Amino acid sequence: MAAERICFSIAPGARQSHRLVCQPAPAEEGGAEGHGRLSRLEWSAVVLDEKLIDLEVHVILQPQEEGAGQGLEWLQQKASGRTFQGAFVPGEHPRLKQVPAERIESVIFEFDNSYSWFTAKDVELVVLRTDEDDGRSRPPPRP
């Protein structure tokens, strides 16, 4: 399990997204970093200073056939709030459990501050990621 904390500021009237890759990265693209195929994801997002923001979360699916467009599945429809929590387990999701794991490309967190013309928002996103054991040998953790 790996935890990641992402902090950013969203300008007034702006949108910002964070992309979490669900597939192992090839070695030439930094795959030695040690993440495998996503098996479970939990997230928590907080807007600091008790301000409101919109958040939607969706999964991008690789095309079933060459030349076809990417697929999209909502994990969280657009909602306004100060705090957000959620979880995604591909093998348990009602619409994605029949989809081959290789097609689940990424999870996108889309933060929307477009309705606020004067106030920037500071956001903290924490994700807990559990990956499948893909059989690669991983380097031992650093002391």
Side-chain angles (χ1 to χ4, degrees):
M1 182 181 297
E4 183 179 5
R5 179 176 174 238
I6 305 102
C7 299
F8 48 89
S9 183
I10 304 173
R15 295 173 62 110
Q16 182 161 340
S17 62
H18 178 74
R19 180 176 181 255
L20 184 100
V21 177
C22 296
Q23 299 298 322
E28 62 272 8
E29 294 178 17
E33 187 176 294
H35 82 76
R37 182 169 292 121
L38 180 73
S39 66
R40 180 176 181 81
L41 179 67
E42 297 177 51
W43 68 85
S44 174
V46 176
V47 185
L48 305 179
D49 299 325
E50 297 193 23
K51 296 177 181 167
L52 296 174
I53 202 160
D54 290 345
L55 172 65
E56 55 190 34
V57 183
H58 58 271
V59 173
I60 299 293
L61 300 171
Q62 295 176 354
Q64 284 183 330
E65 310 170 345
E66 197 168 317
Q70 292 180 319
L72 182 136
E73 178 65 39
W74 294 103
L75 298 179
Q76 177 179 314
Q77 294 281 346
K78 184 182 270 192
S80 294
R82 294 182 178 106
T83 61
F84 304 89
Q85 293 182 331
F88 171 55
V89 180
E92 297 175 5
H93 189 276
R95 292 190 179 153
L96 297 177
K97 62 184 172 185
Q98 302 301 324
V99 172
E102 299 79 28
R103 284 196 56 219
I104 300 173
E105 184 177 298
S106 58
V107 176
I108 308 293
F109 297 86
E110 185 74 37
F111 295 91
D112 186 352
N113 193 29
S114 60
Y115 62 86
S116 181
W117 292 12
F118 302 107
T119 307
K121 308 289 172 63
D122 294 317
V123 177
E124 179 179 279
L125 173 64
V126 176
V127 294
L128 296 175
R129 176 191 181 116
T130 304
D131 293 331
E132 292 178 358
D133 181 16
D134 60 7
R136 292 188 297 174
S137 61
R138 303 216 195 294
R142 293 183 177 168

